[in-house]
Amino acid sequence: MGALSHIRVLDLSRVLAGPWCTQNLADLGADVIKVEKPGEGDDTRHWGPPFARDENGHETSETAYFISINRNKRSITVDISKPEGQGLIRELVLESDVLIENYKVGQLKKYGLDYESLKQLKPDLIYCSITGFGQDGPYSGRPGYDFIVQGMGGFMSVTGEADTFPGSSPQKAGVAIADIFTGMYATSSILAAIAYKNHTGKGQYIDLALLDTQIAVMANVASAYLCSDETPKRWGNASPTIVPYQTLPTSDGWIIVAAGNNGQFRHFVTAGDEAHLADNPLYSENPMRVQNREQLVPLLEAMTRKKTKAEWISLLEKANVPCGPINNLKEVFENEQVRARGVQINVPHPTAGNMKLVASPMRLSETPVEIRMAPPTLGQHTHEILRERLKRDPQAIAALQEKGVI
């Protein structure tokens, strides 16, 4: 039994931030019902290629994007623009502990599915809204997109090569970090609300914004600005406060070296037969290395180019210098540590057969994560949920289907 096996979640969210949150809750045992629009479903069902392949190597209609964030959920199709559909959602709310949605501010109010309306129906409901800019403020009515928020929230101003590097420009992250971090904060907030409800019997409203989250996860960079009033800049793969803490070229690729103290720096240059650099007063202490990085880094690059990636990693691991390769995803999943941890899992799927997924990183000793279901096909569990939760008979379900409600 999962830690949240007693919790029922009604998921009206789409795309990434909300589904990331509800997948976390589902992995922890919650019964998550994903509400989708009949005939269309979550936007990410159409964000392909790539698509999952079946056991014969043929493409299915299941996109890699959708399947990455929707396992352990049941899918029901409901048209919430129709009064009968709104009625089904209200009935499901009565059977749920948590509702999560990411509609534009005020959009669900016209359907009577906003927090104030549903609170009257179920006072102890935990209701989580995810938007780009939050429920108030001058931008609250704007749609929110991860890429835009990465720019607005300061992330891109410190990501990318330095201005002195030819062709440099601000860069976004390779994954949608504002969405993913918002999903993680939503998970934490919902768990806190569940704990509070267990103690007091009261539900509550949770207002999460991508922009708020993006600024929050700027962490020490945001704090550095607030403490100094100096605007942080882009450093590429280097650190503004530690040298060397960056990528360095080898004879056959790149490695990461993170020499966080003077001892590690000495071990690093000694491994490269350049121990004299650690004795040079210009480089012996980290503040001096930071101050003189423009002279030091070319010397380190000349040193690291003399050996291969594998040679350097072997040498530096023996010398206790933090280092690592820059892996592509093929190398990631072939890595012995990744294999030992079981990070790739295989789950039966109705159309793809044996579907490959990334395991949850949450490892609990008493209530381990279980992969109970593959990501659902569109509306896969509609009849099942209507029968079990709402006690509809086959005739009533057929009538709803005929009207296009489900």
Side-chain angles (χ1 to χ4, degrees), residues 6 49 59 84 92 103 107 147 160 214 274 302 322 336 384:
H6 61 298
E59 284 190 347
E84 297 97 325
L92 287 169
Y103 284 80
Q107 190 169 356
F147 191 179
Q214 180 62 84
E274 300 288 350
E336 59 184 354
E384 173 185 305

Side-chain angles (χ1 to χ4, degrees), residues 192-203:
I194 290 170
Y196 179 75
K197 179 180 173 179
N198 290 341
H199 181 63
T200 66
K202 296 179 181 179

Side-chain angles (χ1 to χ4, degrees), residues 7-22:
I7 298 297
R8 290 178 169 180
V9 178
L10 191 59
D11 183 5
L12 273 68
S13 68
R14 301 142 295 159
V15 188
L16 181 50
W20 189 264
C21 167
T22 53

Side-chain angles (χ1 to χ4, degrees), residues 102-105 107 131-134 139-146 148-149 152 210:
N102 65 343
Y103 284 80
K104 292 178 183 177
V105 172
Q107 190 169 356
T131 56
F133 301 99
Y139 294 176
S140 61
R142 295 185 183 184
Y145 296 94
D146 176 273
I148 294 169
V149 168
M152 292 183 69
L210 268 67

Side-chain angles (χ1 to χ4, degrees), residues 99-117:
L99 183 148
I100 182 168
E101 58 89 10
N102 65 343
Y103 284 80
K104 292 178 183 177
V105 172
Q107 190 169 356
L108 289 180
K109 187 172 184 179
K110 64 183 179 181
Y111 301 137
L113 301 178
D114 57 306
Y115 175 63
E116 290 303 323
S117 298

Side-chain angles (χ1 to χ4, degrees), residues 4 7 14 17 24 44 93 135 143 154 159 199 214 216 219 294 320 399:
L4 300 182
I7 298 297
R14 301 142 295 159
N24 285 334
T44 60
V93 165
Q135 298 296 307
T159 305
H199 181 63
Q214 180 62 84
E294 291 186 8
N320 293 318

Side-chain angles (χ1 to χ4, degrees), residues 262-282:
N262 297 329
Q264 290 172 347
F265 175 68
R266 178 173 291 278
H267 293 320
F268 173 40
V269 293
T270 299
D273 299 322
E274 300 288 350
H276 65 93
L277 292 174
D279 297 320
N280 189 323
L282 294 176

